[in-house]
Coordinates of all heavy atoms in Angstrom, one line a residue:
M1 N -2.6 -12.5 6.2 CA -2.8 -11.1 6.2 C -1.5 -10.3 6.3 O -0.8 -10.5 7.3 CB -3.8 -10.7 7.2 CG -4.2 -9.2 7.2 SD -5.5 -9.0 6.1 CE -6.1 -7.5 6.7
M2 N -1.2 -9.5 5.4 CA 0.0 -8.7 5.5 C -0.2 -7.4 6.3 O -1.3 -6.8 6.3 CB 0.5 -8.3 4.1 CG 1.0 -9.4 3.3 SD 1.7 -8.8 1.7 CE 0.2 -8.7 0.8
L3 N 0.8 -7.1 7.1 CA 0.7 -5.9 7.9 C 1.1 -4.6 7.2 O 1.9 -4.7 6.3 CB 1.6 -6.0 9.2 CG 1.3 -7.2 10.1 CD1 2.4 -7.3 11.2 CD2 -0.1 -7.1 10.7
G4 N 0.5 -3.5 7.5 CA 0.8 -2.3 6.9 C 0.5 -1.1 7.8 O -0.2 -1.3 8.8
R5 N 0.9 0.0 7.4 CA 0.6 1.3 8.1 C 0.1 2.3 7.1 O 0.6 2.4 6.0 CB 1.8 1.9 8.8 CG 2.2 1.1 10.1 CD 3.3 1.9 10.8 NE 3.6 1.3 12.0 CZ 4.5 1.7 12.8 NH1 5.3 2.7 12.5 NH2 4.7 1.1 14.0
L6 N -0.9 3.0 7.6 CA -1.5 4.1 6.7 C -1.5 5.4 7.5 O -2.0 5.4 8.7 CB -2.9 3.7 6.3 CG -3.8 4.7 5.6 CD1 -3.1 5.0 4.2 CD2 -5.2 4.2 5.4
Q7 N -1.0 6.4 6.9 CA -1.0 7.7 7.6 C -1.8 8.7 6.7 O -1.4 8.9 5.6 CB 0.4 8.2 7.9 CG 0.5 9.4 8.7 CD 1.9 9.8 9.0 OE1 2.8 9.4 8.4 NE2 2.0 10.6 10.0
V8 N -2.8 9.3 7.3 CA -3.6 10.3 6.7 C -3.9 11.4 7.7 O -4.1 11.2 8.9 CB -5.0 9.7 6.3 CG1 -5.9 10.7 5.7 CG2 -4.8 8.5 5.3
P9 N -3.8 12.7 7.2 CA -4.1 13.8 8.2 C -5.5 13.6 8.8 O -6.5 13.2 8.1 CB -4.1 15.0 7.4 CG -3.4 14.7 6.1 CD -3.6 13.2 5.9
A10 N -5.7 14.0 10.0 CA -7.0 13.8 10.7 C -8.0 14.8 10.1 O -9.2 14.6 10.0 CB -6.9 14.1 12.2
S11 N -7.5 16.0 9.7 CA -8.3 17.0 9.1 C -7.7 17.6 7.8 O -6.5 17.8 7.8 CB -8.5 18.2 10.1 OG -9.3 19.2 9.6
V12 N -8.5 17.8 6.8 CA -8.0 18.3 5.5 C -9.0 19.4 5.1 O -10.1 19.5 5.5 CB -7.9 17.2 4.4 CG1 -7.0 16.1 4.8 CG2 -9.3 16.6 4.1
R13 N -8.5 20.3 4.1 CA -9.3 21.3 3.6 C -10.1 20.8 2.4 O -9.5 20.1 1.6 CB -8.5 22.5 3.2 CG -7.9 23.2 4.4 CD -7.3 24.5 4.0 NE -6.9 25.3 5.2 CZ -6.2 26.4 5.1 NH1 -5.8 26.9 3.9 NH2 -5.9 27.0 6.2
K14 N -11.3 21.3 2.3 CA -12.2 20.9 1.2 C -11.5 21.2 -0.2 O -11.1 22.3 -0.5 CB -13.5 21.6 1.2 CG -14.5 21.1 0.2 CD -15.8 21.8 0.4 CE -16.8 21.3 -0.6 NZ -18.2 21.9 -0.4
G15 N -11.4 20.1 -1.0 CA -10.8 20.3 -2.4 C -9.3 20.4 -2.5 O -8.8 20.4 -3.6
E16 N -8.6 20.5 -1.4 CA -7.2 20.7 -1.4 C -6.5 19.3 -1.3 O -7.0 18.4 -0.6 CB -6.7 21.6 -0.3 CG -7.0 23.0 -0.6 CD -6.2 24.0 0.4 OE1 -5.3 23.5 1.1 OE2 -6.7 25.1 0.5
A17 N -5.4 19.1 -2.0 CA -4.6 17.9 -2.0 C -4.0 17.6 -0.6 O -3.6 18.6 0.1 CB -3.5 17.9 -3.0
F18 N -4.1 16.4 -0.1 CA -3.5 16.0 1.1 C -2.7 14.7 0.9 O -3.0 14.0 -0.1 CB -4.5 15.8 2.3 CG -5.5 14.7 2.0 CD1 -5.3 13.4 2.5 CD2 -6.7 15.0 1.3 CE1 -6.3 12.5 2.2 CE2 -7.6 14.1 1.1 CZ -7.4 12.8 1.5
E19 N -1.7 14.5 1.7 CA -0.8 13.4 1.4 C -1.2 12.1 2.2 O -1.6 12.2 3.3 CB 0.7 13.7 1.9 CG 1.7 12.7 1.5 CD 3.1 13.1 1.8 OE1 3.3 14.0 2.7 OE2 4.0 12.7 1.0
I20 N -1.2 11.0 1.5 CA -1.5 9.7 2.0 C -0.2 8.9 2.0 O 0.5 8.8 0.9 CB -2.6 9.0 1.1 CG1 -3.9 9.8 1.2 CG2 -2.8 7.5 1.6 CD1 -4.9 9.3 0.2
K21 N 0.2 8.3 3.1 CA 1.4 7.5 3.2 C 1.1 6.1 3.6 O 0.3 5.8 4.5 CB 2.4 8.1 4.2 CG 2.8 9.5 3.9 CD 3.6 10.1 5.1 CE 4.0 11.5 4.9 NZ 4.7 12.1 6.0
V22 N 1.7 5.1 2.8 CA 1.4 3.7 3.1 C 2.8 3.0 3.2 O 3.7 3.1 2.4 CB 0.7 3.1 1.9 CG1 0.4 1.6 2.2 CG2 -0.6 3.8 1.6
L23 N 2.9 2.2 4.2 CA 4.1 1.3 4.5 C 3.6 -0.1 4.6 O 2.7 -0.4 5.5 CB 4.9 1.8 5.7 CG 6.1 0.9 6.1 CD1 7.2 1.0 5.0 CD2 6.6 1.3 7.4
V24 N 4.1 -1.0 3.8 CA 3.7 -2.4 3.8 C 4.9 -3.3 4.3 O 6.0 -3.2 3.8 CB 3.2 -2.9 2.5 CG1 2.9 -4.4 2.5 CG2 2.1 -2.1 2.0
Q25 N 4.6 -4.1 5.3 CA 5.7 -5.0 5.8 C 5.7 -6.2 4.9 O 4.8 -7.1 5.0 CB 5.4 -5.4 7.2 CG 6.5 -6.2 7.9 CD 6.3 -6.4 9.3 OE1 5.4 -5.9 9.9 NE2 7.1 -7.3 9.9
H26 N 6.7 -6.3 4.1 CA 6.8 -7.4 3.1 C 8.3 -7.6 2.6 O 8.9 -6.6 2.4 CB 5.9 -7.1 1.9 CG 5.7 -8.3 1.0 ND1 6.5 -8.7 0.0 CD2 4.6 -9.2 1.0 CE1 6.0 -9.8 -0.6 NE2 4.9 -10.1 0.0
P27 N 8.7 -8.9 2.5 CA 10.2 -9.1 2.1 C 10.5 -8.7 0.7 O 11.6 -8.5 0.3 CB 10.4 -10.6 2.4 CG 9.0 -11.2 2.3 CD 8.1 -10.1 2.8
M28 N 9.5 -8.7 -0.2 CA 9.7 -8.4 -1.6 C 10.8 -9.2 -2.2 O 11.8 -8.7 -2.7 CB 10.0 -6.9 -1.8 CG 8.9 -6.0 -1.4 SD 7.4 -6.1 -2.3 CE 7.8 -5.2 -3.8
E29 N 10.6 -10.5 -2.2 CA 11.6 -11.5 -2.7 C 11.7 -11.4 -4.3 O 10.7 -11.6 -4.9 CB 11.3 -12.9 -2.3 CG 11.6 -13.2 -0.8 CD 13.0 -13.0 -0.4 OE1 13.9 -13.0 -1.3 OE2 13.3 -12.9 0.8
T30 N 12.9 -11.2 -4.8 CA 13.1 -11.1 -6.3 C 13.2 -12.4 -7.0 O 13.1 -12.4 -8.2 CB 14.3 -10.2 -6.5 OG1 15.5 -10.9 -6.0 CG2 14.2 -8.9 -5.9
G31 N 13.5 -13.4 -6.3 CA 13.8 -14.7 -7.0 C 15.2 -15.0 -7.2 O 15.6 -16.0 -7.7
F32 N 16.1 -14.0 -6.9 CA 17.5 -14.1 -7.1 C 18.3 -14.6 -5.9 O 19.4 -15.0 -6.0 CB 18.1 -12.8 -7.6 CG 17.5 -12.4 -9.0 CD1 16.8 -11.2 -9.1 CD2 17.8 -13.1 -10.1 CE1 16.2 -10.8 -10.3 CE2 17.3 -12.7 -11.3 CZ 16.5 -11.6 -11.4
R33 N 17.7 -14.5 -4.7 CA 18.4 -14.9 -3.5 C 18.3 -16.4 -3.3 O 17.4 -17.0 -3.8 CB 17.8 -14.1 -2.3 CG 18.1 -12.7 -2.3 CD 17.7 -11.9 -1.1 NE 16.6 -12.4 -0.3 CZ 16.8 -12.8 1.0 NH1 17.9 -12.6 1.6 NH2 15.8 -13.2 1.7
R34 N 19.2 -16.9 -2.4 CA 19.2 -18.3 -2.1 C 19.1 -18.4 -0.6 O 19.5 -17.6 0.2 CB 20.4 -19.0 -2.6 CG 20.5 -18.9 -4.1 CD 21.4 -20.0 -4.7 NE 21.3 -20.0 -6.1 CZ 20.5 -20.7 -6.9 NH1 19.6 -21.4 -6.3 NH2 20.5 -20.6 -8.2
D35 N 18.4 -19.6 -0.1 CA 18.3 -19.8 1.3 C 19.6 -20.4 1.8 O 20.6 -20.6 1.1 CB 17.1 -20.6 1.6 CG 17.2 -22.1 1.1 OD1 18.2 -22.5 0.6 OD2 16.1 -22.7 1.1
M36 N 19.6 -20.8 3.1 CA 20.9 -21.4 3.7 C 21.3 -22.7 3.1 O 22.5 -23.1 3.2 CB 20.6 -21.6 5.2 CG 20.4 -20.2 6.0 SD 21.7 -19.1 5.9 CE 22.9 -19.8 7.0
D37 N 20.4 -23.4 2.5 CA 20.7 -24.7 1.8 C 21.0 -24.5 0.3 O 21.2 -25.5 -0.4 CB 19.5 -25.6 2.0 CG 19.3 -26.0 3.4 OD1 20.3 -26.1 4.2 OD2 18.1 -26.1 3.8
G38 N 21.0 -23.3 -0.2 CA 21.4 -23.0 -1.5 C 20.2 -23.1 -2.5 O 20.4 -22.9 -3.7
R39 N 19.0 -23.3 -2.0 CA 17.8 -23.3 -2.9 C 17.4 -21.9 -3.2 O 17.4 -21.0 -2.3 CB 16.7 -24.1 -2.2 CG 17.0 -25.6 -2.1 CD 15.8 -26.3 -1.5 NE 15.5 -25.7 -0.2 CZ 15.6 -26.3 1.0 NH1 16.0 -27.6 1.0 NH2 15.3 -25.7 2.1
S40 N 16.9 -21.7 -4.4 CA 16.4 -20.4 -4.8 C 15.1 -20.0 -4.0 O 14.2 -20.9 -3.9 CB 16.1 -20.4 -6.3 OG 15.6 -19.2 -6.7
I41 N 15.0 -18.8 -3.5 CA 13.8 -18.3 -2.9 C 12.9 -17.8 -3.9 O 13.3 -17.0 -4.7 CB 14.2 -17.2 -1.8 CG1 15.1 -17.8 -0.8 CG2 12.9 -16.7 -1.2 CD1 15.7 -16.7 0.2
P42 N 11.7 -18.3 -4.0 CA 10.8 -18.0 -5.1 C 10.4 -16.5 -5.1 O 10.4 -15.8 -4.0 CB 9.5 -18.8 -4.9 CG 9.8 -19.8 -3.8 CD 11.1 -19.3 -3.1
V43 N 10.1 -16.0 -6.2 CA 9.6 -14.6 -6.3 C 8.3 -14.4 -5.5 O 7.4 -15.2 -5.6 CB 9.3 -14.2 -7.8 CG1 8.7 -12.8 -7.9 CG2 10.6 -14.3 -8.6
N44 N 8.3 -13.3 -4.8 CA 7.1 -13.0 -4.0 C 7.1 -11.5 -3.7 O 7.8 -11.0 -2.8 CB 6.9 -13.7 -2.7 CG 5.6 -13.4 -2.0 OD1 4.7 -13.0 -2.6 ND2 5.6 -13.7 -0.7
V45 N 6.4 -10.7 -4.5 CA 6.4 -9.2 -4.4 C 5.0 -8.7 -4.3 O 4.1 -9.4 -4.7 CB 7.1 -8.5 -5.5 CG1 8.6 -8.9 -5.6 CG2 6.4 -8.8 -6.8
V46 N 4.8 -7.6 -3.6 CA 3.5 -6.9 -3.6 C 3.3 -6.4 -5.0 O 4.2 -5.7 -5.6 CB 3.5 -5.8 -2.6 CG1 2.2 -5.0 -2.8 CG2 3.6 -6.2 -1.2
N47 N 2.3 -6.9 -5.7 CA 2.2 -6.6 -7.1 C 1.0 -5.6 -7.4 O 1.0 -5.1 -8.5 CB 2.0 -7.9 -8.0 CG 0.9 -8.8 -7.5 OD1 -0.1 -8.3 -6.8 ND2 1.0 -10.1 -7.7
R48 N 0.2 -5.4 -6.5 CA -1.0 -4.5 -6.8 C -1.3 -3.7 -5.5 O -1.4 -4.3 -4.4 CB -2.2 -5.3 -7.2 CG -3.4 -4.5 -7.5 CD -3.6 -4.3 -9.0 NE -4.9 -3.7 -9.3 CZ -5.1 -2.5 -9.7 NH1 -4.0 -1.7 -9.9 NH2 -6.3 -2.0 -9.9
M49 N -1.6 -2.4 -5.6 CA -2.0 -1.6 -4.5 C -3.1 -0.6 -5.1 O -2.9 -0.1 -6.1 CB -0.9 -0.8 -3.9 CG -1.3 0.0 -2.7 SD 0.1 0.9 -1.9 CE 0.9 -0.5 -1.2
V50 N -4.2 -0.5 -4.3 CA -5.3 0.4 -4.7 C -5.7 1.2 -3.5 O -5.8 0.7 -2.4 CB -6.5 -0.5 -5.2 CG1 -7.7 0.4 -5.5 CG2 -6.1 -1.3 -6.4
C51 N -6.0 2.5 -3.7 CA -6.4 3.4 -2.7 C -7.8 3.9 -3.1 O -8.0 4.4 -4.2 CB -5.5 4.5 -2.4 SG -6.1 5.7 -1.2
R52 N -8.7 3.9 -2.2 CA -10.1 4.4 -2.4 C -10.5 5.3 -1.3 O -10.1 5.1 -0.1 CB -11.1 3.2 -2.5 CG -10.9 2.3 -3.6 CD -12.0 1.2 -3.7 NE -11.8 0.4 -4.8 CZ -11.0 -0.7 -4.9 NH1 -10.3 -1.0 -3.8 NH2 -10.9 -1.4 -5.9
I53 N -11.2 6.4 -1.7 CA -11.8 7.3 -0.7 C -13.3 7.2 -0.9 O -13.8 7.4 -1.9 CB -11.3 8.7 -0.9 CG1 -9.8 8.9 -0.7 CG2 -12.1 9.7 0.0 CD1 -9.2 10.2 -0.9
D54 N -13.9 6.7 0.2 CA -15.4 6.4 0.2 C -15.8 5.6 -1.0 O -16.8 5.9 -1.7 CB -16.1 7.7 0.2 CG -16.0 8.4 1.6 OD1 -15.8 7.6 2.6 OD2 -16.2 9.6 1.7
G55 N -15.0 4.6 -1.4 CA -15.3 3.6 -2.5 C -14.9 4.1 -3.8 O -15.0 3.3 -4.8
R56 N -14.4 5.3 -4.0 CA -14.0 5.8 -5.3 C -12.4 5.7 -5.4 O -11.7 6.2 -4.6 CB -14.4 7.3 -5.4 CG -14.0 7.9 -6.8 CD -14.6 9.3 -6.9 NE -14.0 10.2 -5.9 CZ -12.9 10.9 -6.0 NH1 -12.3 10.9 -7.2 NH2 -12.5 11.7 -5.1
E57 N -12.0 5.0 -6.4 CA -10.5 4.8 -6.6 C -9.9 6.1 -6.9 O -10.2 6.8 -7.9 CB -10.3 3.7 -7.7 CG -8.8 3.3 -7.8 CD -8.6 2.2 -8.9 OE1 -9.3 1.2 -8.8 OE2 -7.8 2.4 -9.7
V58 N -8.8 6.4 -6.1 CA -8.1 7.6 -6.4 C -6.6 7.4 -6.7 O -5.9 8.3 -7.1 CB -8.1 8.6 -5.1 CG1 -9.6 9.1 -4.9 CG2 -7.6 7.9 -3.9
F59 N -6.1 6.1 -6.5 CA -4.8 5.8 -6.8 C -4.7 4.3 -6.9 O -5.3 3.5 -6.2 CB -3.8 6.2 -5.6 CG -2.4 5.8 -5.8 CD1 -1.5 6.5 -6.5 CD2 -1.9 4.6 -5.1 CE1 -0.2 6.1 -6.6 CE2 -0.6 4.2 -5.3 CZ 0.2 5.0 -6.0
S60 N -3.9 3.8 -7.9 CA -3.6 2.4 -8.0 C -2.1 2.3 -8.6 O -1.7 3.2 -9.3 CB -4.6 1.7 -8.9 OG -4.4 2.1 -10.3
A61 N -1.5 1.2 -8.2 CA -0.1 0.9 -8.7 C 0.1 -0.6 -8.9 O -0.4 -1.4 -8.2 CB 0.9 1.5 -7.7
E62 N 0.9 -0.9 -9.9 CA 1.3 -2.2 -10.2 C 2.8 -2.2 -9.9 O 3.6 -1.6 -10.5 CB 1.0 -2.7 -11.6 CG -0.4 -2.9 -11.8 CD -0.7 -3.4 -13.2 OE1 0.2 -4.0 -13.8 OE2 -1.9 -3.3 -13.7
L63 N 3.2 -3.0 -8.8 CA 4.6 -3.0 -8.4 C 5.3 -4.2 -8.9 O 4.7 -5.2 -9.3 CB 4.6 -3.0 -6.8 CG 3.8 -1.9 -6.2 CD1 3.8 -2.0 -4.7 CD2 4.3 -0.5 -6.6
G64 N 6.6 -4.2 -8.9 CA 7.4 -5.3 -9.4 C 8.6 -5.5 -8.5 O 8.7 -5.0 -7.4
S65 N 9.5 -6.3 -8.9 CA 10.7 -6.7 -8.1 C 11.7 -5.6 -7.9 O 12.6 -5.8 -7.1 CB 11.4 -8.0 -8.7 OG 11.8 -7.6 -10.0
G66 N 11.6 -4.5 -8.6 CA 12.5 -3.4 -8.4 C 12.2 -2.6 -7.2 O 13.0 -1.7 -6.8
I67 N 11.2 -2.9 -6.4 CA 10.8 -2.2 -5.2 C 11.5 -2.9 -4.0 O 11.5 -4.1 -3.9 CB 9.3 -2.2 -5.0 CG1 8.6 -1.6 -6.2 CG2 8.9 -1.4 -3.7 CD1 8.8 -0.1 -6.5
A68 N 12.1 -2.1 -3.1 CA 12.8 -2.7 -1.9 C 11.8 -3.3 -1.0 O 10.6 -3.1 -1.0 CB 13.5 -1.6 -1.2
A69 N 12.4 -4.1 0.0 CA 11.6 -4.7 1.0 C 10.8 -3.6 1.8 O 11.3 -2.5 1.9 CB 12.5 -5.5 1.9
N70 N 9.7 -4.0 2.3 CA 8.8 -3.1 3.1 C 8.5 -1.8 2.3 O 8.9 -0.7 2.7 CB 9.5 -2.7 4.4 CG 9.8 -4.0 5.2 OD1 9.0 -4.9 5.3 ND2 10.9 -4.0 5.9
P71 N 7.8 -2.0 1.2 CA 7.6 -0.8 0.3 C 6.8 0.3 1.0 O 5.9 0.1 1.7 CB 6.8 -1.4 -0.9 CG 6.3 -2.7 -0.4 CD 7.2 -3.2 0.7
Y72 N 7.3 1.5 0.7 CA 6.7 2.7 1.2 C 6.2 3.6 0.0 O 7.0 3.8 -0.9 CB 7.7 3.5 2.0 CG 7.3 4.9 2.3 CD1 6.4 5.2 3.4 CD2 7.8 6.0 1.6 CE1 6.1 6.5 3.7 CE2 7.4 7.3 1.9 CZ 6.6 7.5 2.9 OH 6.2 8.8 3.2
L73 N 5.0 4.0 0.0 CA 4.4 4.8 -1.1 C 3.8 6.0 -0.5 O 3.1 5.9 0.5 CB 3.4 4.1 -2.0 CG 4.0 3.0 -3.0 CD1 4.2 1.7 -2.3 CD2 3.1 2.9 -4.2
A74 N 3.9 7.2 -1.1 CA 3.3 8.4 -0.7 C 2.7 9.0 -1.9 O 3.3 9.1 -3.0 CB 4.2 9.3 0.0
F75 N 1.5 9.5 -1.8 CA 0.8 10.1 -3.0 C -0.2 11.1 -2.4 O -0.5 11.2 -1.2 CB 0.1 9.1 -3.9 CG -0.7 8.1 -3.1 CD1 -2.0 8.3 -2.9 CD2 -0.1 6.9 -2.6 CE1 -2.8 7.4 -2.3 CE2 -0.9 6.0 -2.0 CZ -2.2 6.2 -1.8
F76 N -0.8 11.9 -3.3 CA -1.8 13.0 -2.9 C -3.1 12.7 -3.5 O -3.3 12.1 -4.6 CB -1.3 14.3 -3.4 CG -0.1 14.8 -2.7 CD1 1.2 14.4 -3.1 CD2 -0.2 15.6 -1.5 CE1 2.3 14.9 -2.4 CE2 0.9 16.1 -0.9 CZ 2.2 15.7 -1.3
A77 N -4.1 13.1 -2.7 CA -5.5 13.0 -3.2 C -6.3 14.2 -2.6 O -5.8 14.9 -1.7 CB -6.2 11.7 -2.7
A78 N -7.5 14.4 -3.1 CA -8.3 15.5 -2.6 C -9.7 15.0 -2.3 O -10.1 14.0 -2.9 CB -8.4 16.6 -3.6
A79 N -10.4 15.6 -1.3 CA -11.7 15.2 -1.0 C -12.6 16.4 -0.8 O -12.2 17.5 -0.4 CB -11.7 14.4 0.3
Q80 N -13.9 16.2 -1.1 CA -14.9 17.3 -1.0 C -15.7 17.1 0.4 O -16.3 18.1 0.8 CB -15.9 17.2 -2.1 CG -15.2 17.5 -3.5 CD -14.6 18.8 -3.6 OE1 -15.1 19.8 -3.1 NE2 -13.4 18.9 -4.2
Q81 N -15.6 16.0 1.0 CA -16.3 15.7 2.2 C -15.6 14.7 3.1 O -14.7 14.0 2.6 CB -17.8 15.2 1.9 CG -17.8 13.9 1.2 CD -19.1 13.5 0.7 OE1 -20.0 14.3 0.5 NE2 -19.4 12.2 0.5
S82 N -15.9 14.7 4.3 CA -15.3 13.8 5.3 C -15.5 12.4 4.8 O -16.5 12.1 4.2 CB -15.9 14.0 6.7 OG -15.6 15.3 7.1
G83 N -14.6 11.5 5.2 CA -14.8 10.1 4.8 C -13.7 9.2 5.3 O -13.1 9.5 6.3
E84 N -13.5 8.1 4.6 CA -12.5 7.1 4.9 C -11.6 6.7 3.8 O -12.1 6.6 2.6 CB -13.2 5.8 5.4 CG -12.3 4.7 5.9 CD -13.1 3.5 6.3 OE1 -14.1 3.1 5.7 OE2 -12.7 2.9 7.4
V85 N -10.3 6.7 4.0 CA -9.3 6.2 3.1 C -9.1 4.7 3.3 O -8.9 4.3 4.4 CB -8.0 7.0 3.2 CG1 -6.9 6.4 2.3 CG2 -8.2 8.4 2.9
V86 N -9.2 3.9 2.3 CA -9.0 2.5 2.4 C -7.9 2.1 1.3 O -8.0 2.4 0.2 CB -10.2 1.6 2.1 CG1 -9.9 0.2 2.1 CG2 -11.3 2.0 3.1
V87 N -6.8 1.5 1.8 CA -5.7 1.0 0.9 C -5.7 -0.5 1.0 O -5.6 -1.1 2.1 CB -4.4 1.6 1.3 CG1 -3.3 1.1 0.4 CG2 -4.5 3.2 1.2
E88 N -5.7 -1.2 -0.1 CA -5.6 -2.6 -0.2 C -4.5 -3.0 -1.1 O -4.2 -2.3 -2.1 CB -6.9 -3.2 -0.7 CG -8.1 -2.9 0.1 CD -9.4 -3.4 -0.5 OE1 -9.6 -3.1 -1.7 OE2 -10.2 -4.0 0.3
W89 N -3.8 -4.1 -0.8 CA -2.7 -4.6 -1.6 C -2.7 -6.1 -1.6 O -3.3 -6.8 -0.8 CB -1.4 -4.0 -1.1 CG -1.0 -4.4 0.3 CD1 -0.4 -5.5 0.8 CD2 -1.4 -3.6 1.5 NE1 -0.3 -5.4 2.1 CE2 -0.9 -4.3 2.6 CE3 -2.1 -2.4 1.7 CZ2 -1.1 -3.9 3.9 CZ3 -2.3 -2.0 3.0 CH2 -1.8 -2.7 4.1
S90 N -2.0 -6.7 -2.6 CA -1.9 -8.2 -2.7 C -0.5 -8.5 -3.3 O 0.1 -7.7 -3.9 CB -3.0 -8.7 -3.6 OG -2.9 -8.2 -4.9
D91 N -0.1 -9.8 -3.0 CA 1.2 -10.2 -3.5 C 1.1 -11.4 -4.4 O 0.0 -11.9 -4.7 CB 2.2 -10.5 -2.3 CG 1.9 -11.7 -1.5 OD1 1.0 -12.5 -1.8 OD2 2.6 -11.9 -0.5
D92 N 2.2 -11.9 -4.9 CA 2.3 -13.0 -5.8 C 1.7 -14.3 -5.3 O 1.2 -15.2 -6.0 CB 3.7 -13.3 -6.3 CG 4.2 -12.2 -7.2 OD1 3.5 -11.6 -7.9 OD2 5.5 -11.9 -7.1
R93 N 1.7 -14.5 -4.0 CA 1.1 -15.7 -3.4 C -0.4 -15.6 -3.1 O -1.0 -16.5 -2.5 CB 1.9 -16.0 -2.1 CG 3.3 -16.4 -2.3 CD 4.0 -16.8 -1.1 NE 5.4 -17.1 -1.3 CZ 6.4 -17.1 -0.4 NH1 6.1 -16.8 0.8 NH2 7.6 -17.4 -0.8
G94 N -0.9 -14.4 -3.4 CA -2.4 -14.2 -3.2 C -2.7 -13.7 -1.8 O -3.9 -13.5 -1.4
E95 N -1.7 -13.4 -1.0 CA -2.0 -12.8 0.3 C -2.4 -11.4 0.2 O -1.9 -10.7 -0.8 CB -0.7 -12.9 1.2 CG -0.4 -14.3 1.6 CD 0.7 -14.4 2.7 OE1 0.6 -13.6 3.7 OE2 1.6 -15.2 2.6
R96 N -3.2 -10.9 1.0 CA -3.8 -9.6 0.9 C -3.6 -8.8 2.2 O -3.5 -9.4 3.3 CB -5.3 -9.6 0.6 CG -5.5 -10.3 -0.7 CD -7.0 -10.3 -1.1 NE -7.2 -10.9 -2.4 CZ -7.1 -10.3 -3.5 NH1 -6.6 -9.1 -3.6 NH2 -7.3 -10.9 -4.7
G97 N -3.6 -7.5 2.1 CA -3.6 -6.6 3.2 C -4.5 -5.4 3.0 O -4.9 -5.1 1.9
R98 N -4.9 -4.8 4.1 CA -5.9 -3.7 4.1 C -5.7 -2.8 5.3 O -5.6 -3.3 6.4 CB -7.3 -4.3 4.0 CG -8.4 -3.2 3.9 CD -9.7 -3.9 4.0 NE -10.8 -3.0 3.6 CZ -11.4 -2.2 4.4 NH1 -11.1 -2.2 5.7 NH2 -12.4 -1.4 4.0
E99 N -5.7 -1.5 5.1 CA -5.6 -0.6 6.1 C -6.6 0.5 5.8 O -6.9 0.8 4.6 CB -4.3 0.0 6.3 CG -3.2 -0.9 6.9 CD -3.5 -1.2 8.4 OE1 -4.1 -0.4 9.1 OE2 -3.2 -2.3 8.8
S100 N -7.2 1.1 6.8 CA -8.1 2.2 6.6 C -7.9 3.3 7.7 O -7.4 3.0 8.7 CB -9.6 1.7 6.6 OG -9.9 1.2 7.8
A101 N -8.3 4.5 7.3 CA -8.2 5.7 8.2 C -9.3 6.7 7.9 O -9.5 7.0 6.7 CB -6.8 6.3 8.2
A102 N -9.9 7.3 8.9 CA -10.9 8.3 8.7 C -10.3 9.7 8.7 O -9.2 9.9 9.3 CB -12.0 8.2 9.8
F103 N -10.9 10.6 8.0 CA -10.5 12.0 8.0 C -11.7 12.9 8.0 O -12.8 12.4 7.6 CB -9.5 12.3 6.8 CG -10.2 12.2 5.5 CD1 -10.8 13.3 4.9 CD2 -10.3 10.9 4.9 CE1 -11.4 13.2 3.7 CE2 -11.0 10.8 3.6 CZ -11.5 11.9 3.0
S104 N -11.5 14.1 8.4 CA -12.6 15.1 8.3 C -12.2 16.2 7.4 O -11.1 16.6 7.4 CB -13.1 15.5 9.7 OG -12.0 16.2 10.3
V105 N -13.2 16.8 6.7 CA -13.0 18.0 5.9 C -13.4 19.2 6.6 O -14.5 19.2 7.2 CB -13.7 17.8 4.5 CG1 -13.7 19.1 3.8 CG2 -13.1 16.7 3.7
A106 N -12.5 20.2 6.7 CA -12.8 21.4 7.4 C -13.1 22.5 6.5 O -12.7 22.6 5.4 CB -11.6 21.8 8.3

């Protein structure tokens, strides 16, 4: 399980855009580096990220080797009612991560 952080405002206004921030702890290996013995380190990057609010997809991204280690993404979404933001991601080795946060609509 990959570690990550999700930041969502505790309270948002109905229908107004709010910022969602995601930080994933991951080395994002490009396949070009070598280990101490000179062997190539295999490619392993976070390749997919999806954000859902109450089960409805509001953001998705396909990432590649051009993204730095510990990728950080920020994007905006809007909500009509209180709920939960869930962000899930996976890498080339099939490892997955998931974070969630609740928010209320004022």
